Amino acid sequence: MNRYDLTIHQAHQLLKNREVSSIELTKAVLEHIAQVEKKVHAFVTVTEDEALRQAAQADERIKSDDLTPLTGVHALIKDNMCTRGIATTCSSRMLENFIPPYDATVVEKLRYAGMVMVGKGNMDEFAMGSSNEHSAFFITANPWDLARVPGGSSGGPAVGVATSEAIYALGSDTGGSIRQPAGFCNVVGLKPTYGRVSRYGLVAFASSLDQIGPITRDVTDSALVMNVIAGYDPKDSTSVNYPVPDYMKSLIPDLNGLKLGVPKEYFVEGMQDGVRQAMRTAIATLEELGATVDWEVSLPHTKYALAAYYIIAPSEAMANLARYDGVKYGFSYEGKNMWDAMEKTRGYGFGPEVKRRIILGTYALSAGYYDAYYLKAQKVRTLIRREFEEAFERYDALITPTSPTVPFKIGERVDDPLQMYLSDVCTLPINIAGIPGLSVPAGFCDGLPVGMQILGKPFSEEVLFRIGYAYEQATGWGERRPQLEKGVK
Amino acid sequence: MKLSREEVVHIATLCRLGLSEEELERFQEQLSNILENFDILQQVDTSDVPPTAYPIPLENVVREDEVAPSSPQSDILANAPRQEEGYFRVRAVLE
C-alpha cells in the first residue's frame, strides 16, 4: 500500500501506533499531489507550508497521546470555505486575490481536531454548476476518464479524495454539489440536514439551501468527519441546537427491520440503462441485507423540483452576490464613475453561469413577476417538503440514483444550461426539503462510477450511515481506485 | 415566456451587471428557454399552501448581547481595493 492511499481510520491507526509520522505522511502526499495534479487539476491552491507546519504540530500531539481520529490526517477544503490567511477564491476572478481574515467554523473545528490541510479544491464558480467547467481558472478532470467531467460544484474535492491527493475533503451542497461529484468519482458524499453543520464562513450562494458536508473514501470516514463538524454554532443563526450523536455507533453491518422505499419518479426519462441496472442490483442487495423494500413509492411533485429550485436558488444568489461591488474586497475595476465601476467590476469579475443566475434571480424577484415565480416556487417547495414528510412516516429511508447518468464528456453540456441543470434532477429536491442525503459508490457502467443516493428525514444521518455502511461492507465498490498511472484514456 | 432584449437590458441594470452585446443576445435566448420550462409550475394547485422560505422552522433567533473580541480593523481593510485613513474609500455617489 502507498503511504498516501489511506482512509482516515487507516491513517489514524498508523499514526497512533507510531508506524508513521504525520510529517512522513504529509511529504508522501505532497509528492503524490505534484504528480497527480498534472492530470486532474483538483486544487486551486496547494498549501504545502501550512500542511508541513500542521503535520509537525500533529506529531507533537501524537507524542503526548493527545490525538483525535483526525489528528495528522490530510484534508482538502473546497475553495468557498474561508481559511484565515489562505486565498479563498470560489474559483472566481471576483475573489482571486481574497485572503480571508478568519476561518469558517468548520475549518476552525477541523484545525482544533488536528487537521493537516493540503489545499483548497477547485469548483464551479461560486458553486454554480454541475461539472466544474464553470471554474474561472481551469477544468478538473474525472480520474476515471480524463475526457469526462468530475461533476460539480465540489469537483475538485471529490477528485482529490478519489485520487488520494487528500484523505478526506469538505464540500458544500446547494442542489447536489457534494453528492453528484461523489457519485461521479466513486467516493462517499454526505449532504447533512439543513442546519446540522454551521455555514459560518462558507461563501453564501443560496442561504436556505447551502450545507457543508464531508467527501470521503468510505462511510466510516464520513461518520468520523461528521463527529467533528456537526453541531450548533451561535455564529450561524440557521444552525440547529439539536444533540449530535456519536455517528460511529450507527455503523451496523445489517439492515434488519429497516423499511426502504424506492420513489419511481427518480427513475426518470433519459436515465441511462446502465445506471438503472446498477440501481436494481444495489437495491436487491439492500433487501438481502435485511431491509424490506417497497419498489412502488410515488412522490408526484418531484417533477416540479427542478423549476422551483432554479427560481429559488438564483433569487437567493442574486441577493447574496449583491455584495460584490468592488469596494470592500474582491476584484475592482476603475470605471468612469460609481455606476460604471460597479457594472464593470461585476461584468468582468463574474463568469457566464454566475451572470445567468443573477439575471434569472433578479427577473424572478422583479416587480410583476414575484408572485408568478418566486412566491409560486416557495409554495411548491412546501408541497415537496410535505411529500417527503409523509413518505418518512412509512419508510426509514428512500433510495434513488445520485444522478441519472454516469459522468458526461467535458464540453457536452456547457453551452446548454438546461441540460446541465438536469444532471442534478435527483439531488436538488433534497435541498428544497432540507433533508439529508448520502451518496455511496454503487457499481460501474462502462467503466464509469454510479452513485446510490440514500435519503432520510431531518436529522436521520445515523440511518443513512447505517444503510451506506452495510451496503459498502457487502459490496466494496468504493475500494476500486482509478488507475491514473497506467491506462489513462 | 419570451424575454425581449429590452427586458434583459433592464434586468442587467437592476443588478448592476455590465453585459457585452454578445452576452445580451445569448442570455436573451437561454433565459427565454429556461423560463419556458418554469411554466410547468403553473400546473400545480397551490391555493391554501403557505410558502416555505427555510426548510426548518425558525423564528427570531436572538442571543445575549455579550462583549467579545472582533477582528482588527487592519485585517478587515487588508482586502479593500481602496482605503483611506482606516475607511473603505468609495467613489463619489453624487457628481
Side-chain angles (χ1 to χ4, degrees), chain A residues 96-116:
Chain A
E96 196 169 3
N97 299 309
F98 174 63
I99 313 284
Y102 65 93
D103 276 328
T105 294
V106 286
V107 172
E108 195 179 297
K109 285 181 164 187
L110 289 178
R111 282 194 204 273
Y112 192 73
M115 159 177 73
V116 175

Side-chain angles (χ1 to χ4, degrees), chain A residues 121-365:
Chain A
N122 194 29
M123 54 189 279
D124 287 291
E125 182 177 4
F126 281 99
M128 299 178 192
S130 316
S131 69
N132 259 50
E133 289 166 289
H134 291 304
S135 166
F137 306 143
F138 42 79
I139 299 170
T140 300
N142 191 310
W144 294 92
D145 178 350
L146 297 177
R148 288 175 190 269
V149 303
S153 65
S154 311
V159 170
V161 174
T163 57
S164 308
E165 291 178 286
I167 296 177
Y168 69 101
L170 286 189
S172 68
D173 189 316
T174 306
S177 283
I178 288 174
R179 291 159 287 154
Q180 187 251 25
F184 275 11
C185 294
N186 205 44
V187 293
V188 174
L190 173 72
K191 184 205 87 76
T193 307
Y194 185 81
R196 179 76 293 186
V197 176
S198 168
R199 293 184 295 115
Y200 179 75
L202 170 70
V203 178
F205 160 14
S207 303
S208 82
L209 304 161
D210 297 342
Q211 189 62 196
I212 292 171
I215 297 176
T216 55
R217 303 271 296 258
D218 65 14
V219 175
T220 305
D221 281 4
S222 194
L224 285 169
V225 177
M226 278 300 282
N227 273 354
V228 174
I229 64 171
Y232 174 66
D233 178 11
K235 289 176 184 163
D236 173 5
S237 61
T238 62
S239 75
V240 178
N241 202 346
Y242 187 82
V244 180
D246 176 0
Y247 290 110
M248 290 297 282
K249 291 194 176 139
S250 57
L251 308 180
I252 304 164
D254 74 62
L255 302 179
N256 294 332
L258 285 184
K259 276 186 279 185
L260 309 179
V262 182
K264 60 183 181 198
E265 287 82 4
Y266 284 75
F267 292 77
V268 290
E269 226 176 285
M271 187 177 180
Q272 255 172 3
D273 282 342
V275 174
R276 194 186 305 267
Q277 208 42 57
M279 285 307 300
R280 285 212 187 102
T281 312
I283 296 165
T285 306
L286 300 177
E287 276 183 319
E288 285 161 23
L289 286 164
T292 319
V293 177
D294 181 347
W295 295 76
E296 288 294 319
V297 179
S298 179
L299 302 172
H301 284 90
T302 303
K303 67 174 171 204
Y304 305 113
L306 185 91
Y309 178 87
Y310 277 99
I311 291 170
I312 294 168
S315 297
E316 294 186 13
M318 166 270 178
N320 275 325
L321 272 59
R323 73 190 63 174
Y324 301 101
D325 55 6
V327 173
K328 298 177 292 298
Y329 50 84
F331 175 73
S332 185
Y333 187 88
E334 292 277 350
K336 290 194 287 281
N337 53 45
M338 183 187 73
W339 292 125
D340 185 54
M342 205 180 284
E343 286 182 1
K344 293 214 165 89
T345 292
R346 294 164 64 78
Y348 296 139
F350 292 135
E353 182 60 24
V354 175
K355 288 182 191 172
R356 211 154 25 232
R357 296 205 196 184
I358 290 176
I359 292 180
L360 202 51
T362 307
Y363 183 77
L365 292 172

Side-chain angles (χ1 to χ4, degrees), chain B residues 5-54:
Chain B
R5 186 193 156 80
E6 288 66 38
E7 279 176 300
V8 181
V9 172
H10 174 63
I11 300 160
T13 310
L14 287 178
C15 55
R16 300 292 163 196
L17 207 51
L19 296 181
S20 67
E21 280 302 311
E22 189 261 334
E23 281 176 320
L24 273 176
E25 205 170 298
R26 188 153 36 95
F27 287 163
Q28 186 191 342
E29 191 200 316
Q30 289 175 338
L31 294 167
S32 297
N33 232 332
I34 294 169
L35 288 173
E36 236 164 69
N37 269 269
F38 290 174
D39 287 344
I40 188 179
L41 292 184
Q42 304 312 322
Q43 299 171 5
V44 191
D45 179 8
T46 52
S47 42
D48 305 323
V49 178
T52 295
Y54 272 87

